[in-house]
Amino acid sequence: MRALRIWVIALVILAALFVAVDRVAVYIAESQAEDRVEIPGARIGSTDISVKGFPFLTQLAGSELDEVDVKITGIETRAGGRTLRISTMNAELRDVRLTDGFSGATAARATGTAVISYEDLTKAASDGVKVEYGGKNKVKVTGTVAVPFLGRPVSRSVLSTVTLLDGRTVRVHADKVPGEGIPGLEKLIREKTDFEREVGGLPNGLKLERIQPTEDGLEISVTGTEVRLAG
């Protein structure tokens, strides 16, 4: 009995050591990966990576991870002559294959959410335009236009619908523009407040599925297969 107790205690200690070593290995791997994530054609701010599943070491030995959660803050790329910044993107990567000597990773499947803040959307809009939440799945767009025959600028706010075109372009289109009987005013305002901007900078393999204005910004659902994060 005494020998059995010694073996049990030894096994418990070994198991605890294995768990500790496994968790330390996860922490090191996450920290190194966060510093090495790259998205071709885009600049990124910060990255937070969380490797799920246990044990990690056996997954690492097989060069495939069950699940990896990724949060990227500040994805910036140039599209259509304007810089469109994705404020944050959260993605769940499944069946992640480690490649290129652990310097890259490819996920068999991915789902997530990207958010474009109204501040960033305003920067991507035309000069002199402000975009904010308008309530009820709408955005409020305010723009100022010069009306030559009035001799003064005119500022107007419109409620606009936001849609996705071709799965990669954000379209902001005013539902109704107040013209107030002034010839050409509606056209001038719409030229200012209506715009389309391509969303670039997503990891290869991810595509946009659905967009919805919220209080925090434009919330975009993303999905993908064979999603690659270079490192």
Side-chain angles (χ1 to χ4, degrees), residues 92-109:
E92 295 180 358
L93 311 180
R94 305 300 175 99
D95 300 328
V96 181
R97 301 187 306 276
L98 303 177
T99 59
D100 304 325
F102 302 133
S103 64
T106 300
R109 305 180 309 281

Side-chain angles (χ1 to χ4, degrees), residues 133-207:
Y133 184 54
K136 297 182 179 180
N137 293 325
K138 304 287 183 181
V139 296
K140 178 183 176 182
V141 185
T142 302
T144 301
V145 297
V147 184
F149 54 83
L150 289 181
R152 59 181 174 83
V154 174
S155 179
R156 291 291 184 272
S157 294
V158 296
L159 288 179
S160 300
T161 298
V162 182
T163 54
L164 281 175
L165 300 178
D166 303 324
R168 62 177 181 271
T169 300
V170 174
R171 179 176 187 257
V172 179
H173 185 76
D175 297 343
K176 182 180 179 181
V177 177
E180 301 173 355
I182 302 175
L185 180 58
E186 179 178 344
K187 181 176 182 293
L188 288 173
I189 293 175
R190 190 174 288 280
E191 287 177 348
K192 195 75 171 178
T193 60
D194 288 2
F195 61 93
E196 298 176 5
R197 295 291 182 268
E198 183 180 345
V199 180
L202 292 174
N204 292 335
L206 273 185
K207 60 181 180 179

Side-chain angles (χ1 to χ4, degrees), residues 123-135:
K123 293 177 181 178
S126 302
D127 294 337
V129 168
K130 181 179 180 181
V131 186
E132 54 193 327
Y133 184 54

